[in-house]
Amino acid sequence: MEINNLVWIVLLLLILVLLVRVTSLQRQLNELKRDVERLENGSTAIASPRSDFNYTLSPKEESPSHTSPPGHTDLDQELIALVQKGNKIVAIKRLREARGLSLKEAKDYVDSLHR
């Protein structure tokens, strides 16, 4: 009877881990959809051969303002707000979690938003 309970617990934990992973993948998919929409609307981004993204912003996106520019996603606005509050490291961490970027790529992206 204890082995059955252990099997159920392991199964439930596995389901929980899978649900968390699916949620994370869904969030990444939504971010990618926004990026594709932004690309279709005229912004530029270059995909590197490693399948990670190196983002370059169009000139109108490089100067963040307090109003929401058409090319900025919700995540971009959140990152800009964090940087303006002096939480650049938190912004980089948030971007890495959301998009799975390397530390350098996330830092470069946050720096480009900050300019």
Side-chain angles (χ1 to χ4, degrees), residues 7-22:
V7 169
W8 281 110
I9 291 172
V10 169
L11 183 62
L12 289 174
L13 287 174
L14 181 62
I15 290 171
L16 180 64
V17 169
L18 290 174
L19 284 173
V20 169
R21 183 65 181 146
V22 167

Side-chain angles (χ1 to χ4, degrees), residues 19-100:
L19 284 173
V20 169
R21 183 65 181 146
V22 167
T23 303
S24 171
L25 290 173
Q26 184 64 44
R27 186 177 57 231
Q28 289 176 352
L29 179 62
N30 290 339
E31 290 294 326
L32 289 173
K33 284 179 183 178
R34 286 187 208 123
D35 290 344
V36 168
E37 289 171 0
R38 191 172 66 196
L39 286 173
E40 289 173 348
N41 292 332
S43 300
T44 60
I46 302 169
S48 71
R50 302 177 325 170
S51 298
D52 293 335
F53 289 98
N54 292 324
Y55 293 96
T56 56
L57 301 176
S58 65
K60 66 181 177 185
E61 291 178 315
E62 287 183 355
S63 56
S65 64
H66 294 289
T67 61
S68 177
H72 285 298
T73 64
D74 293 338
L75 178 61
D76 291 343
Q77 292 301 316
E78 179 184 345
L79 297 174
I80 291 168
L82 285 169
V83 170
Q84 288 174 346
K85 292 178 185 173
N87 294 327
K88 186 175 179 182
I89 293 172
V90 175
I92 292 169
K93 182 179 178 183
R94 171 72 178 99
L95 180 62
R96 290 188 72 203
E97 290 171 353
R99 296 215 176 123

